């Protein structure tokens, strides 16, 4: 049926499907708790899958990483949590690019949106690495923002795996050593988490201050300055 085929291929229909998937994932939290399931102890492949699906359901990553530390410990929990975070980022990226990109990209016409799209498209690895390293940037928003841009899959994946490693390790170590709050491992990881939070607040405040500064007056609009030097007589 041509009409049905056109509707299914419509960018707006696919965007609606993406929103429906995300709403269903978030609503599923009323029926199951990812962190409780992970605490029960599951094989690593199941852990990876549960973690990835939980990121689609907007479960906070610190809670998932803490569960990884409590279940798997530090040595095994850190690489597994980094791999699970990367898998969740890839899943969100794939959904965003397959279902929402065609509808959203024509709307990216503002100066800021266009500049971000160009930067992600031309400097994908460096830009995504910066986004992942800076604490406070919403994980899911970064996934879909990258999906709607022109960044390639490989730079996106590598930058995600490298960028999330420090913060993920801090939360995994905190979860693994939560039973011994006076231990050096817990204190160091807690201090790192506090520093990341402070850095987020400072970076956000500086960005706000920059946005409040008046734009410089274009050179063409400035009145020409009159010379105070009298012309020399002959």
């Amino acid at each position: 049926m041509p009409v049905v085929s056109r509707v299914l291929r419509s960018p707006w229909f696919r965007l609606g499907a993406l929103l429906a998937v995300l709403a269903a994932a978030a609503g599923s939290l009323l029926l199951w708790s990812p962190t409780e399931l992970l605490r029960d102890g599951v094989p690593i492949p199941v852990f990876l899958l549960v973690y990835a699906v939980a990121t689609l359901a907007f479960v906070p990553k610190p809670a998932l990483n803490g569960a990884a530390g409590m279940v798997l410990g530090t040595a095994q929990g850190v690489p597994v949590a980094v791999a699970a975070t990367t898998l969740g980022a890839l899943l969100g990226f794939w959904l965003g690019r397959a279902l929402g990109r065609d509808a959203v990209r024509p709307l990216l016409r503002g100066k800021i949106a266009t500049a971000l799209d160009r930067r992600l498209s031309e400097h994908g690895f460096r830009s995504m690495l910066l986004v992942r390293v800076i604490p406070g940037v919403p994980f899911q928003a970064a996934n879909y923002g990258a999906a709607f841009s022109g960044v390639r899959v490989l730079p996106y994946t590598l930058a995600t795996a490298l960028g999330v490693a420090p913060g993920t390790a801090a939360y995994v170590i905190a979860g693994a050593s939560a039973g011994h709050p006076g231990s050096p491992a817990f204190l160091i990881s807690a201090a790192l988490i506090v520093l990341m939070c402070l850095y987020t607040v400072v970076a956000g405040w500086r960005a706000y201050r920059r946005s409040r500064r008046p734009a410089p007056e274009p050179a063409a609009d400035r009145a020409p300055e009159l010379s105070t030097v009298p012309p020399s007589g002959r």
Side-chain angles (χ1 to χ4, degrees):
M1 299 178 63
V3 176
V4 175
S5 178
R6 284 200 302 270
V7 170
L8 294 178
R9 291 199 304 267
S10 168
W12 292 105
F13 176 83
R14 296 203 298 270
L15 180 60
L18 172 62
L19 297 177
V21 169
L22 297 180
S28 69
L29 295 178
L30 298 174
L31 304 177
W32 68 298
S33 174
T35 54
E36 291 295 330
L37 178 60
L38 296 177
R39 285 195 185 102
D40 294 337
V42 293
I44 289 179
V46 178
F47 184 99
L48 293 170
L49 180 61
V50 170
Y51 191 115
V53 173
T55 59
L56 290 181
F58 302 96
V59 177
K61 281 197 323 91
L64 297 172
N65 293 330
M70 288 185 287
V71 173
L72 302 174
T74 299
Q76 195 174 28
V78 171
V80 170
V82 170
T85 302
T86 306
L87 179 62
L90 274 173
L91 183 58
F93 180 87
W94 177 80
L95 284 174
R97 181 151 291 188
L99 298 178
R101 184 187 183 191
D102 292 342
V104 173
R105 275 190 70 86
L107 304 178
L108 302 177
R109 296 175 181 175
K111 291 183 178 180
I112 296 178
T114 303
L116 289 175
D117 180 34
R118 183 183 302 112
R119 183 167 183 83
L120 284 172
S121 301
E122 297 176 359
H123 309 283
F125 177 82
R126 184 169 55 187
S127 300
M128 283 308 306
L129 183 63
L130 183 62
V131 168
R132 297 304 191 187
V133 168
I134 295 178
V137 178
F139 180 72
Q140 290 83 1
N143 296 340
Y144 299 118
F148 299 152
S149 74
V151 64
R152 292 177 297 166
V153 177
L154 183 58
Y156 170 83
T157 305
L158 294 177
T160 297
L162 292 175
V164 302
T168 298
Y171 283 102
V172 170
I173 294 172
S177 56
H180 305 280
S183 64
F186 182 84
L187 294 177
I188 292 173
S189 61
L192 181 58
I193 292 171
V194 171
L195 288 175
M196 289 190 296
C197 293
L198 290 176
Y199 179 82
T200 300
V201 173
V202 172
W205 173 250
R206 292 179 63 184
Y208 172 77
R209 290 290 299 274
R210 284 196 299 268
S211 67
R212 300 288 294 178
R213 293 176 184 171
E217 186 180 349
D221 296 338
R222 297 174 184 171
E225 297 181 358
L226 298 179
S227 175
T228 59
V229 179
S232 58
R234 294 185 179 178

